[in-house]
Amino acid sequence: MNRHHDPNPFDEEEVNPFSNGGTAAPARPLASEPLGFRQKHDATVDIPLDTMNDTKKKEKELAAWEADLKRREKDIKRREDAVSQAGVPVDDKNWPPIFPIIHHDIANEIPVHAQRLQYLAFASWLGIVLCLVFNVIAVTVCWIQGGGVKIFFLAIIYMLLGCPLSYVLWYRPLYRAMRTDSALNFGWFFMFYLLHLGFCIVAAIAPPIVFHGKSLTGVLAAFDVISDHLVAGIFYFVGFGLFCLESLLSLWVIQKIYLYFRGHK
């Protein structure tokens, strides 16, 4: 008996699945099975899309906030280096561009989320400057037409005191409060801005009891002047409109900044 040709029952037959003759059984895709043991007790997991969108939105806001903080830190570091190395004052005067008398740089010093409010406050400060300057022009016209020199000097005093004091007492503290997030500067701003608002309302009325005669272009003075001098009366009514607009703008500004202060704190 020739045992060399007997097959070994323990030998495994090698089959090449990639050969032409061999066929591999196709892989059966896994069926998506529901959670649970029976179909009638299937559990469904729902992930709300709103939560995911809110999370992404908060992440973007946080990233923008961090980028703004880094930018402010770099700006502060640059200014500190300029002071220590070059000895050049960093709060250089840059406004107005024609004849710089103050330092003013909202785009680079105020946080992005507070720049709109700062521009509104800046418009309010420019508004009171315009009102006081036009008040001098209107009172000058009235003085030329026989209104008396006393009202002219009072209008000059209002302008010379009102323009710088409004900047020092309430606009500059707000600028510093927005830049450094100082509660003390915010309080200083609110206190003197209320006085500014009260002055605008009184100036729009111009009662002769508080201010001498026609030194302010309020509605009462406008009616009094236009009865005698038409041209001066027209100037007074224009000044009355400017003080009314400034009063409305001031009301809007203090409301917006108060809401920002409450929400920010």
Side-chain angles (χ1 to χ4, degrees), residues 128-217:
I128 190 61
V129 171
L130 175 62
C131 289
L132 293 176
V133 171
F134 188 84
N135 183 75
V136 171
I137 296 174
V139 172
T140 302
V141 174
C142 182
W143 170 42
I144 293 174
Q145 294 186 348
V149 68
K150 185 181 292 185
I151 59 174
F152 170 75
F153 283 113
L154 287 175
I156 291 293
I157 292 174
Y158 300 153
M159 184 188 68
L160 293 179
L161 292 180
C163 294
L165 286 181
S166 59
Y167 176 81
V168 173
L169 293 179
W170 61 263
Y171 181 75
R172 190 63 182 175
L174 177 64
Y175 190 91
R176 292 174 178 173
M178 291 293 191
R179 184 174 64 178
T180 62
D181 195 19
S182 171
L184 180 62
N185 285 323
F186 271 113
W188 192 268
F189 160 77
F190 286 124
M191 179 175 63
F192 284 101
Y193 199 74
L194 287 174
L195 294 178
H196 156 78
L197 179 59
F199 171 79
C200 292
I201 295 174
V202 171
I205 301 173
I209 300 174
V210 180
F211 297 99
H212 184 273
K214 310 173 185 67
S215 59
L216 285 172
T217 57

Side-chain angles (χ1 to χ4, degrees), residues 33-122:
E33 298 180 356
L35 296 177
F37 295 96
R38 298 180 182 178
Q39 294 183 358
K40 64 180 181 179
H41 299 291
D42 292 346
T44 304
V45 179
D46 295 332
I47 300 177
L49 297 178
D50 294 339
T51 304
M52 299 176 63
N53 294 333
D54 292 341
T55 304
K56 292 181 180 179
K57 184 178 179 181
K58 291 180 180 179
E59 290 178 355
K60 291 181 180 180
E61 291 178 355
L62 182 60
W65 181 266
E66 291 178 354
D68 183 64
L69 288 178
K70 290 181 180 180
R71 182 188 62 81
R72 293 176 62 186
E73 290 176 357
K74 290 181 180 180
D75 184 69
I76 293 174
K77 184 66 168 58
R78 178 182 61 82
R79 291 172 176 275
E80 291 177 352
D81 293 340
V83 173
S84 59
Q85 296 177 4
V88 180
V90 291
D91 288 342
D92 52 339
K93 299 176 181 180
N94 59 354
W95 193 91
I98 300 176
F99 185 72
I101 55 177
I102 61 174
H103 175 77
H104 195 258
D105 193 3
I106 295 178
N108 294 322
E109 294 182 344
I110 305 301
V112 178
H113 61 278
Q115 288 183 5
R116 183 173 177 271
L117 291 178
Q118 190 65 44
Y119 278 119
L120 285 176
F122 184 56

